[in-house]
Each structure stands twice: as C-alpha cells, then as structure tokens.
Amino acid sequence: MSTEKKYLDLVQKQNHYNQALSLLAWDARTGAPKKGAGQRSEVIGTLSSEVFALSTSNEMESLLTELEASEDTIADITAKSIKESRKEYDRNTKIPAAEFKEYVTLQSQTETLWEEAKDKSDFEMFRPNLEKLIDFKKRFIGYYGEETGHAYNTLLDDYEPGVFVDTIDEVFSDLRKNLVPLVQAVTESAHQPKMDSLLTHFPKENQQALSLDILKEIGFDFSAGRMDETVHPFAIGINPYDVRVTTKYNESDFRVSLFGTIHEGGHALYEQNISPDLIGTPLSSGTSMGIHESQSLFWEKFVGQNFAFWERNYPLLKKHANGQFDNVSLEDFYFAVNQAKPSLIRIEADELTYCLHIILRYELEKALIEGSLAVKDLPHVWNEKMQEYLGVKPANDGEGVLQDVHWSFGAFGYFPSYALGYIYAAQLKEAFTKSNPGFDQLIQQGDYAPIRSWMTENVHQFGRGKKQADILKDTTGSGIDAKPLIQYLQSKYTKLYKL
Amino acid sequence: MSTEKKYLDLVQKQNHYNQALSLLAWDARTGAPKKGAGQRSEVIGTLSSEVFALSTSNEMESLLTELEASEDTIADITAKSIKESRKEYDRNTKIPAAEFKEYVTLQSQTETLWEEAKDKSDFEMFRPNLEKLIDFKKRFIGYYGEETGHAYNTLLDDYEPGVFVDTIDEVFSDLRKNLVPLVQAVTESAHQPKMDSLLTHFPKENQQALSLDILKEIGFDFSAGRMDETVHPFAIGINPYDVRVTTKYNESDFRVSLFGTIHEGGHALYEQNISPDLIGTPLSSGTSMGIHESQSLFWEKFVGQNFAFWERNYPLLKKHANGQFDNVSLEDFYFAVNQAKPSLIRIEADELTYCLHIILRYELEKALIEGSLAVKDLPHVWNEKMQEYLGVKPANDGEGVLQDVHWSFGAFGYFPSYALGYIYAAQLKEAFTKSNPGFDQLIQQGDYAPIRSWMTENVHQFGRGKKQADILKDTTGSGIDAKPLIQYLQSKYTKLYKL
C-alpha cells in the first residue's frame, strides 16, 4: 500500500470516530435521557482519546514526514490534508501531557464555577480560576510558538487561521467608529417600531411547521439532514450527507425559532455543500469559524431580515400564525423584526448592535493576553466600555462580564470570528451583487438557487481546502473590509428609523 | 496495573465502542437522513472492526489465559465476564478469516435477494443462496465444535445458551399437541369477537399520547430512556441508564402501537434494571434471547392483554380515543383485543397461535441442519405443516416459506427463542403468583411495583451473569416446562370462546 493510501486510511479512521462523536454530541443535546449523561461522557472520552492518539501517533508522524518530502507527487487533496494533520500533530504534541491534563480539569471546574458565579453575579468567585486559565493560555502560546508578532495571534489561529491582530484592530476600529454614532441616532430617533404584535402567543407546533417550511424554502436538503428541538440551538455536520439543525421555541416570541432556524440553516447549507470528494479527510468541514458564521449570518440577516423576503413570505407566516398578524401591515412587521436597540446581553443583540458587543470582548481579551489589563479590573472596564459603545450599563456582573460561557472553558480568540462573520457576509453579498444585481428580486421570487450555487462555487465546496483569505480575495478582490457591512447598516437603519 | 484491571479496561473499551454502535443503530432506524446511509455504514464498519479486533487481540488472549489460571482470586463479576470474553474469542477466531468474509458477503447479498424473491413469491430465485448459507452454517458448526450431541445445538448456543434440542423437542411437542386442538376449537366456535370497533380511525398523535401514558404506567423510566417512531419497532439498551423503545402507528389499528409499545417496554424494563455494577463488562445485557422475550411477552400478554389491565385502563384508552369506544362494553373490547385466529403471517399472529408458527420453523431448521430435509422441498413441507398445525395454507411462497427475513442472513437457531419466551413468561408468572397470589388485583390497581421488583430481583439485575437455566431453577424449581403456558391458554381461550 502506498504511503498516501496509508495516510488517507488513517485520517479516514479519525473521521469515522469523529462522525460517531458528532452523533453523540447531537444526541446529547436533542433528547438523550438525563441519567445516561455519565456513561455518555465516558463513551465520548474513549472515542476522543482514540482520535487524539491517532493524531499524535508515531504512524501519523512518519507518514506526514514521508508525504511532506514528496509533496509534488501526491494529490492536491492529500497535500492540503497533510497540512491540517501536521498542524493538529504539532498542537497536540507541543504541550506536555501532564500540563494539558491539569488544564482540562481546570476548564471543567471553571465552567461549573462560572454557572454559579453568574447566577450570584459574583465575579470575585470566578476571578482566581480565570486568572489561572489565562496563565495556562499564555504558557500554551509559548509552547506553540508566537510566530506572528503578537501573542493573541496564536489564539486566533485556533478559530480564524491567517487573520491577525493588526487586521482586526483596523477593521474593528473602522466598524466601531461608524456604529457608535449610528446606534446613538437610532436610539434617539422618535420613529420606533411597534413590538406588541411580535410578542403574541404563537403555538410551538405552528412555529415548527413554519421553520420546516422556511428551511425547505432556502434549500436545506431534508434527505441529507433533519431538524430537532434543543435548548441551545446549533447546526452539526456529521458528514455532508447528514447535517442536522436544531431550534428552540419561545411561544411568546416566534423570532427566536424563525431567525434561529434560518441562522442554523445557513451553517447547514455550508456543510451540505462541501464537496463529497473531501469526505473522510481533514478538509471536510468549514474553513474557519468566521467563514462559517458568514454563511449563517448571510441567510439570517441578508435574506431572512430582508424586506423582499417578507414581501414573499409574510403570507406564509400569517398562515401558520393563525390570525395574529392580520392587522399588522407588511411595513410595520418588517420594521418590528428589524428593531435595533442597545441591550446588555450579546446573544439577544440585533444586527446593528451585535458587533459592538464583540469588539468590546476582543479589546478586553487582547489586553488580558498582552498583560495590559489585570483580571481584577475586568468588570470595571467592561462596564465602562458598555457605556461608551452602547450607552447601557450592567446593573451587576451577571448581566455584564459574567454573561458568556466562553472564557470559562478557556476559549480566548473565539469572539472575533462572530463579528468577522458579519463583515465577511456583507463582503460576500456585495461580491455576489456585482455579477447578479437583482439580489432582492431573487429573494422576492424565492429563487435562491443562483445564490446557493454562487456560495457553493465560491465558498462551500472547498471545505478547509481553501483559506479565508483566498476566498475573500477570489470573490471580492480584497482582504477583510468592514465597509460593505457599514454601508449596509447605515443605509438600512437610516431608512428604517428615518434618521 | 493488575491483570484484572487491564482486562476490565479492555472490555470497557469494547463496551464504549458498542454503546456508540447502539446509538448509530438507533439513529439509523429513527429518522437519520437517507443520503447519510453510505457514510453511516462506513462508520459502523470501522467501529465494528475495532470491537472485533479487540475481542481477538493477543492482549485479550493473554489476559484471559492469565485470569483463567487465577480464577479463585478474581472478583465474581470478572470471573463471569472472562467466560463471555473467552466464548467470543473462540467464536471470532475459529473461522478462517477469508471464509468468514465470504459468508458476510453472501449474507448481505442474500438479504437483498430475499426481498425481491419475497415480493415475487419466487422461492427458486432464493434457493441457491439459501443452500449456500446452510452449507456455511454446517461448516461453521464443524469449526466451533459440536460438543453436545446435535449439530443444531451449536446454533442454539448463539441465542439460547444451555438449551438443547432434546429439551426443545420435548416442550415443543407438548405445546403442539395441546395447541392444535385448542386452536381448532377456537376456530370452530360460534362465539366470535366483534372486531369493527378496533379498526376505526385512531389519530397517530392520540396513539402516541396513549403509548407514553402506558409506558409510564408500567414503570418505564423516562429519565433513563425515550420513545420514538420507527418502521420495525425495537427496544435497545445503550446502557442501563439509556434504554430506548420505538413504536409504529397504524391509524386503522391502534393495537399495533399499543401492544407493540408494551412489548418493547417489557424489553426495556429488563435493560433498565440490569445492575449498574455490570456496566462496561460483557455481562451488561440480557442473558439470552428467550429470557429477553419472556420479559416483553410477560408485559404484553400477561399484563397488557389481561382483563384486569383493561378494567383499569379502558377509561384511559377511551379518553385518548375520543369517543370511538363509547358504545363498546369492556367485555366486548377485551374479547376483541384477545381475538385468536389462525393466520399465515407469524408477526401478525395472536398469542394462541403464535407458538405453532415457531414450532413449524424449528422443525424445518433442525431437519435442514441434520440433512434430513433438502432446501428444494422446503416450500412443500412448509405448506403441509401450516395446514396440519393451523388449518391454513399459503396461496404462494411470499406469504409462506419466504415471509421471514431471518434465514436470509443465516440466523438459524434464532426462532425457538420466541416460543421459549412465551414458555418462560408463563413459568415466571406462575412462580410470581406463588408468593403473590393477587396478581390480577395488583394489575387492576396499577400497582406494578411488586411485579417489577420481583422480576428485577430474579431476572433483570443479573444481566448475563446468571444463565437461563439458573433463573428458571431458582424461581420455579424446575427446568423448561410448557405446562404453565398451556394451562394459561386453555383456561383463557376456553372461557373467551365458550368452548
């Protein structure tokens, strides 16, 4: 058997274990019995250890070394795959095993501690663990090697490979400078949406039927996926032929399930349209968190919150809603679902204010890693920035610095990808519109095929085989640029709020 | 690490893979997307190969050999576990790998061929493959070693360890001699149930609510299990804390889901009540197919088709049924759900006629393995026996000899366990009644706890750690005995049909 074939068999085995792990994760979050949690963790532990062992095995190391030496004679997919495997090998072998184990234990303790601290709004309770986690992160950066000029770049590399602090500083600063006054103007506008109609009782079964219709409408392939209920919605690609979305129903606010479903549907369209040629290799997933988020946000915001979408689908909503919107005009409805209002909680934020929540977190994370901000000063700086960027101030740390789970399991470097997703989505939309000027008309007609095809051709099909920078360069001709997003938000909200 | 600990770690790893495989199997049959079937098979293939490799590894062999030599110093659970592992090791190593691979290929080809042959009622199409499968089986018996006086005993050992042809011949003959005249009398009785009310439209959602209520009623623990819809109902124990039942809904015949759910619920109660101490060992499952079936049949027949059960639950059924039984008396309803009528199809047979379907199959299988019956004569003998035992004759082989899937994948020796399950269930019920005479009263009061406790104490908790023969001996003081079943059927059907 050739070295290439041996390597492909090995990563396929990893992939098969990972598929089983994905199913276990989906199952755990969609109705698996509670009492099974302990055994389920053990099964997940055994399979994960096996994947880890394969990724750091002597066999992997020697196959990679051989293939790296003969890069010219191997297939393109293999050449790109070995880069991913090498990165994984390095990450998984550079940290001393004992230290990593200590870190994993701390992660899980801190996540539990965080829940309690959040409930009690008690930052001091959480502080010592957060300090330890940051110390670990700094040491890990040392092990990985800080090759790109800033320690935080090494963390970014886990989520958004190839994007560095200097770029993010520039685009986030551009975004912040433009958003802060716009948010302020919107807040002060006398013209505000009427929200009452949105918050009337909408039975769960009807919301479910609506979500299913809308997923079909945007082109989710139900023969290669399914939709279930969950507490914290997510989409998961077990493989491109089995991609599952989940949603949650709030009978007093149908927006949670409807826009949530479209959001997860966007992630799912990405996963369903990764080239089947990549199945079983490390390339068969989204290329970065930010590009993944660009797909969910593209469908949720640029399609689902588009006036043209509701010109077409408002009758469908009314059908499922059984009369509650009969006296609400399309224009009033559209304004209401696009309400923009500064608020304290990131996951409840609208598209206008969302990125400011992210920028704040990015600035704090970077300062913590640089050492220019001490953990003890975090709540104070958080509150100051909330006031400065959004004009609101948390009454306590539970609705402030303690609101997100991410830091409690050491996920530093993750937050920026949420805002990058918004920026990319706007850039991709602009690029699409250059070759297809009738974007809104397509949506108004429910003719999503050209949009999906364009996304598949330019983004989806490549999986991890094409990096974020190349996707942007080939579609937009440029790098990361906040202008399309700024223009979109300025134009939309100036009009909506009659600024 | 001690040898014992090493062994327990190894079987725990097998168990964790098997838990993942169980989840994959459940998922595949409860709504996994169609297009994912190919990838799913590959994942199942990879995990199964791993389990097989562990079961036949040098490590397993040397751990077993060491532990077998020191049986006195190891824990009881380990001592019983190594017997199971040794049996698996022997089974998996005795057949030459190439031959086994050829057999597996033939199995899957024949199952596909069987579907077509059944649809076309074309036995000749199926015959050559069936002959080859039987040849394989005979050769495998040779490899395994025919230690117990009859080749068929080696096949029985896969499903009902410790039960041999001489015992089955005796109890089945006893059963047959008593059932044939009883079935004939029932068929000829002028007193027959009115079936119309049962076959009225019963909406699926209502049936689902009823099934959930009844599962709760009999004590299924929903915090350690769930219920889903499927095409071919089954129960699956991933581990004792995660046991899943499935059901199917026929809107023209609510009995399919109701009694199906109780049946699978009986299997599930077994799996949920296996001692947690056995988790992760080869003992954490049902001890035999027959004992497992005794639990499902006990709940389905002796509880669910009991008059006392309907005295209590007929109002509940009426509530869910929305009026369709309002003019049907409890007595008429009870008679109807206990209709006994000879029919051609095993899986649709009632409790009175079911065992005759099994006895027929057992006699044919034994003759095929002995060589006293040629495959080409199978359809003819099948039809003759159907006439003799049940008084009905298939119009074609599709509803005759081709009706069951089992032979198409080489499952010879499996069928007897279905009838043994009936026999054991009646024996266990009789044993329970000796210490708890008010069986019907408990059911009428919905007080199942004493019944469940007794079953857990005497059957469930041991998993595979107690063999069928010991369970019967310790509960009934005897071996396999068809008399309690015969008495139950004679008494019940003589009364129902006024014989």
Side-chain angles (χ1 to χ4, degrees):
Chain A
M1 208 194 292
S2 74
T3 308
E4 188 172 354
K5 177 81 174 75
K6 276 185 208 157
Y7 165 75
L8 291 173
D9 282 355
L10 187 60
V11 290
Q12 188 183 56
K13 194 171 176 182
Q14 281 187 296
N15 174 266
H16 288 169
Y17 288 144
N18 278 325
Q19 288 197 38
L21 283 163
S22 297
L23 181 66
L24 280 154
W26 169 84
D27 183 63
R29 295 162 73 181
T30 55
K34 276 185 198 169
K35 285 187 185 163
Q39 276 298 302
R40 206 150 46 240
S41 299
E42 289 199 27
V43 172
I44 289 170
T46 297
L47 287 171
S48 304
S49 304
E50 206 60 33
V51 175
F52 185 88
L54 292 172
S55 79
T56 57
S57 60
N58 294 336
E59 190 189 358
M60 179 64 87
E61 158 69 71
S62 70
L63 289 170
L64 288 177
T65 307
E66 263 192 75
L67 291 170
E68 282 158 352
S70 52
E71 224 180 303
D72 300 340
T73 62
I74 56 178
D76 182 51
I77 290 177
T78 314
K80 286 174 175 157
S81 293
I82 60 171
K83 291 204 170 67
E84 298 295 326
S85 295
R86 171 58 74 189
K87 185 173 169 183
E88 195 184 14
Y89 179 87
D90 286 346
R91 285 268 155 152
N92 291 344
T93 50
K94 280 186 176 167
I95 299 174
E99 203 168 335
F100 192 72
K101 203 177 164 187
E102 212 183 313
Y103 171 70
V104 170
T105 309
L106 179 68
Q107 269 184 316
S108 96
Q109 283 167 351
T110 309
E111 201 171 332
T112 311
L113 184 71
W114 164 77
E115 277 187 44
E116 201 187 334
K118 185 188 171 188
D119 281 351
K120 295 185 176 163
S121 294
D122 185 350
F123 183 76
E124 274 307 301
M125 185 177 178
F126 182 59
R127 188 179 53 78
N129 278 47
L130 184 58
E131 284 168 348
K132 279 185 217 155
L133 278 170
I134 291 170
D135 283 345
F136 267 110
K137 281 283 154 181
K138 287 180 180 171
R139 262 180 290 151
F140 290 179
I141 292 168
Y143 293 133
Y144 290 148
E146 188 193 310
E147 293 163 19
T148 45
H150 195 291
Y152 192 78
N153 286 342
T154 308
L155 300 179
L156 282 169
D157 194 45
D158 274 341
Y159 308 101
E160 205 59 19
V163 177
F164 302 125
V165 159
D166 50 357
T167 307
I168 296 186
D169 281 345
E170 199 179 310
V171 293
F172 278 14
S173 147
D174 195 10
L175 197 52
R176 199 190 63 224
K177 278 182 213 151
N178 283 281
L179 287 187
V180 171
L182 183 56
V183 168
Q184 203 177 334
V186 156
T187 310
E188 289 163 3
S189 168
H191 189 61
Q192 295 287 337
K194 296 179 216 98
M195 301 304 292
D196 304 0
S197 66
L198 297 195
L199 307 174
T200 46
H201 184 79
F202 199 142
K204 184 174 145 172
E205 295 68 33
N206 301 30
Q207 290 193 42
Q208 189 183 37
L210 175 64
S211 289
L212 288 169
D213 278 351
I214 292 290
L215 274 183
K216 273 178 211 138
E217 162 101 8
I218 66 171
F220 178 83
D221 180 356
F222 275 94
S223 67
R226 54 183 287 174
M227 184 187 87
D228 295 86
E229 191 178 351
T230 192
V231 181
H232 301 291
F234 63 97
I236 192 164
I238 297 175
N239 62 62
Y241 298 124
D242 189 348
V243 178
R244 305 180 181 201
V245 298
T246 58
T247 193
K248 94 172 171 186
Y249 303 102
N250 177 341
E251 293 200 319
S252 312
D253 189 350
F254 76 96
R255 294 175 299 177
V256 174
S257 71
L258 179 64
F259 294 109
T261 301
I262 302 176
H263 183 94
E264 302 308 336
H267 282 304
L269 288 175
Y270 190 177
E271 295 282 335
Q272 285 189 332
N273 291 298
I274 291 173
S275 167
D277 298 344
L278 305 180
I279 292 175
T281 76
L283 307 180
S284 190
S285 70
T287 193
S288 74
M289 295 297 306
I291 293 290
H292 228 309
E293 200 66 14
S294 79
Q295 297 306 297
S296 53
L297 290 169
F298 177 85
W299 287 96
E300 181 189 356
K301 306 302 183 188
F302 293 94
V303 178
Q305 290 186 218
N306 190 317
F307 188 72
F309 184 80
W310 289 109
E311 282 186 291
R312 175 178 168 78
N313 287 310
Y314 197 39
L316 178 74
L317 177 85
K318 283 183 171 175
K319 195 190 85 183
H320 286 295
N322 278 328
Q324 75 195 73
F325 297 111
D326 285 358
N327 298 317
V328 182
S329 74
L330 171 62
E331 287 70 19
D332 283 350
F333 173 81
Y334 171 69
F335 191 14
V337 295
N338 281 286
Q339 185 195 37
K341 192 179 172 186
S343 63
L344 295 167
I345 307 298
R346 176 185 61 85
I347 58 165
E348 293 167 6
D350 53 79
E351 66 173 352
L352 180 65
T353 57
Y354 189 88
C355 288
L356 292 170
H357 290 268
I358 296 305
I359 292 170
L360 173 152
R361 284 158 178 76
Y362 164 70
E363 292 169 352
L364 298 178
E365 282 191 352
K366 205 177 58 151
L368 287 167
I369 297 298
E370 282 174 358
S372 60
L373 173 67
V375 171
K376 70 172 171 44
D377 298 324
L378 205 46
H380 171 69
V381 184
W382 178 286
N383 293 349
E384 273 193 341
K385 281 190 189 274
M386 281 300 286
Q387 182 69 54
E388 185 188 345
Y389 298 167
L390 287 157
V392 291
K393 205 160 187 171
N396 58 60
D397 290 336
E399 59 181 31
V401 68
L402 287 171
Q403 69 180 269
D404 295 303
V405 68
H406 301 60
W407 293 342
S408 77
F409 60 90
F412 295 90
Y414 189 130
F415 280 124
S417 55
Y418 291 124
L420 290 170
Y422 269 92
I423 293 168
Y424 301 160
Q427 288 188 270
L428 291 169
K429 192 217 152 183
E430 194 178 77
F432 174 84
T433 316
K434 269 180 196 148
S435 50
N436 302 267
F439 181 75
D440 286 353
Q441 206 179 343
L442 289 173
I443 292 176
Q444 203 267 320
Q445 289 163 357
D447 185 12
Y448 306 100
I451 303 174
R452 276 200 314 277
S453 303
W454 189 90
M455 283 294 181
T456 295
E457 199 184 315
N458 290 288
V459 183
H460 303 162
Q461 62 164 327
F462 305 110
R464 292 184 91 82
K466 188 167 183 173
K467 296 299 161 203
Q468 159 279 138
D470 293 324
I471 289 173
L472 287 188
K473 208 183 85 202
D474 290 351
T475 49
T476 69
S478 78
I480 305 175
D481 181 3
K483 282 189 190 54
L485 177 61
I486 294 166
Q487 278 160 16
Y488 161 77
L489 294 172
Q490 278 173 341
S491 145
K492 180 170 174 176
Y493 288 89
T494 301
K495 208 168 144 196
L496 269 174
Y497 280 84
K498 300 192 172 164
L499 303 181
Chain B
M1 206 193 294
S2 74
T3 308
E4 188 172 353
K5 177 82 174 75
K6 277 186 205 156
Y7 164 76
L8 291 173
D9 282 355
L10 187 61
V11 292
Q12 188 183 55
K13 192 171 178 182
Q14 281 187 296
N15 174 265
H16 287 169
Y17 287 144
N18 279 325
Q19 289 197 38
L21 283 164
S22 296
L23 181 66
L24 281 154
W26 169 83
D27 182 64
R29 295 162 76 183
T30 53
K34 277 185 196 169
K35 284 187 186 164
Q39 276 298 302
R40 203 149 49 239
S41 300
E42 288 198 29
V43 173
I44 290 170
T46 297
L47 287 171
S48 304
S49 303
E50 208 59 33
V51 176
F52 185 88
L54 293 172
S55 77
T56 58
S57 60
N58 293 336
E59 190 189 358
M60 179 64 86
E61 158 70 86
S62 70
L63 289 170
L64 289 177
T65 307
E66 263 191 77
L67 291 170
E68 282 157 354
S70 52
E71 225 179 305
D72 301 339
T73 62
I74 57 180
D76 182 51
I77 290 176
T78 314
K80 286 174 176 159
S81 294
I82 61 172
K83 290 204 170 67
E84 298 294 326
S85 296
R86 171 58 74 189
K87 185 172 170 183
E88 194 185 17
Y89 179 86
D90 286 346
R91 284 267 155 150
N92 290 344
T93 50
K94 279 187 176 166
I95 299 174
E99 205 168 332
F100 193 72
K101 201 175 167 186
E102 213 183 312
Y103 171 70
V104 171
T105 309
L106 179 68
Q107 269 184 317
S108 96
Q109 284 167 352
T110 308
E111 201 171 333
T112 311
L113 184 71
W114 164 77
E115 277 188 42
E116 199 186 335
K118 185 188 172 188
D119 281 351
K120 294 184 175 164
S121 294
D122 185 349
F123 182 76
E124 274 307 301
M125 185 177 176
F126 182 58
R127 186 178 53 77
N129 279 47
L130 185 58
E131 285 168 346
K132 278 184 219 157
L133 278 170
I134 292 170
D135 284 345
F136 267 109
K137 282 283 154 181
K138 287 180 179 171
R139 262 180 290 151
F140 290 178
I141 292 168
Y143 293 133
Y144 291 147
E146 188 191 310
E147 294 163 18
T148 44
H150 195 291
Y152 193 77
N153 285 343
T154 308
L155 300 179
L156 281 169
D157 193 45
D158 275 340
Y159 308 101
E160 206 59 18
V163 177
F164 302 126
V165 159
D166 49 357
T167 307
I168 296 186
D169 280 345
E170 199 179 308
V171 292
F172 279 13
S173 149
D174 195 10
L175 198 52
R176 198 189 63 225
K177 278 184 212 148
N178 283 281
L179 287 187
V180 171
L182 183 57
V183 168
Q184 205 177 334
V186 156
T187 311
E188 288 164 3
S189 167
H191 189 59
Q192 295 288 338
K194 295 179 218 102
M195 301 303 292
D196 305 0
S197 67
L198 296 196
L199 307 174
T200 45
H201 184 80
F202 200 140
K204 185 174 145 173
E205 293 70 32
N206 301 32
Q207 290 192 44
Q208 189 184 34
L210 175 64
S211 289
L212 289 169
D213 278 351
I214 292 289
L215 274 183
K216 271 176 215 143
E217 161 100 8
I218 66 171
F220 178 83
D221 179 356
F222 276 94
S223 68
R226 52 183 287 173
M227 184 187 86
D228 295 86
E229 191 179 352
T230 191
V231 180
H232 301 290
F234 62 97
I236 192 163
I238 297 176
N239 61 62
Y241 298 123
D242 188 349
V243 180
R244 304 178 183 204
V245 299
T246 59
T247 193
K248 96 173 171 184
Y249 303 101
N250 178 341
E251 294 201 318
S252 312
D253 188 350
F254 76 95
R255 294 175 300 176
V256 175
S257 70
L258 179 63
F259 294 108
T261 301
I262 302 175
H263 182 94
E264 302 308 336
H267 283 304
L269 288 176
Y270 191 175
E271 296 281 336
Q272 285 188 333
N273 292 298
I274 292 173
S275 166
D277 297 344
L278 305 179
I279 292 177
T281 75
L283 307 181
S284 187
S285 70
T287 192
S288 75
M289 295 296 306
I291 293 290
H292 228 308
E293 199 67 13
S294 79
Q295 297 306 298
S296 53
L297 291 169
F298 177 85
W299 287 97
E300 181 190 356
K301 307 301 182 188
F302 293 93
V303 178
Q305 290 187 215
N306 189 318
F307 187 72
F309 183 80
W310 289 109
E311 281 186 291
R312 174 177 168 79
N313 288 308
Y314 197 39
L316 179 73
L317 178 85
K318 283 183 171 175
K319 194 191 86 183
H320 286 294
N322 277 330
Q324 74 196 73
F325 297 111
D326 284 357
N327 299 317
V328 182
S329 72
L330 171 62
E331 289 69 20
D332 283 351
F333 174 82
Y334 171 69
F335 191 12
V337 295
N338 281 286
Q339 184 195 38
K341 194 181 171 185
S343 63
L344 295 166
I345 307 298
R346 176 184 62 84
I347 58 166
E348 294 166 7
D350 53 79
E351 67 174 352
L352 180 64
T353 58
Y354 189 90
C355 288
L356 292 170
H357 291 268
I358 296 305
I359 293 170
L360 174 154
R361 284 158 178 75
Y362 165 70
E363 292 170 352
L364 297 178
E365 282 190 352
K366 202 177 60 152
L368 286 168
I369 297 296
E370 283 174 358
S372 61
L373 174 66
V375 172
K376 72 172 172 41
D377 298 324
L378 204 46
H380 171 69
V381 184
W382 178 286
N383 293 349
E384 271 191 342
K385 281 189 188 275
M386 281 299 286
Q387 182 68 54
E388 186 188 344
Y389 297 168
L390 287 157
V392 293
K393 204 162 189 170
N396 58 59
D397 291 336
E399 58 180 32
V401 69
L402 288 171
Q403 71 181 265
D404 294 304
V405 67
H406 301 59
W407 293 342
S408 77
F409 59 91
F412 295 90
Y414 190 129
F415 281 123
S417 55
Y418 291 123
L420 290 170
Y422 269 92
I423 292 167
Y424 300 160
Q427 289 187 266
L428 290 169
K429 191 215 150 184
E430 196 180 76
F432 173 85
T433 316
K434 268 180 198 149
S435 49
N436 301 268
F439 180 75
D440 286 353
Q441 207 180 341
L442 289 173
I443 292 176
Q444 204 266 323
Q445 290 163 356
D447 183 12
Y448 307 99
I451 303 174
R452 276 201 314 275
S453 302
W454 189 90
M455 283 294 181
T456 295
E457 198 184 316
N458 290 286
V459 184
H460 304 163
Q461 60 164 326
F462 306 110
R464 292 183 90 81
K466 187 167 185 173
K467 296 298 161 201
Q468 160 279 136
D470 293 324
I471 289 172
L472 287 189
K473 208 183 87 204
D474 290 351
T475 49
T476 69
S478 78
I480 305 175
D481 181 3
K483 277 182 196 59
L485 178 61
I486 294 167
Q487 278 159 13
Y488 161 77
L489 294 172
Q490 277 173 340
S491 147
K492 178 170 176 177
Y493 289 90
T494 302
K495 207 168 144 197
L496 270 175
Y497 281 85
K498 301 191 172 166
L499 304 180

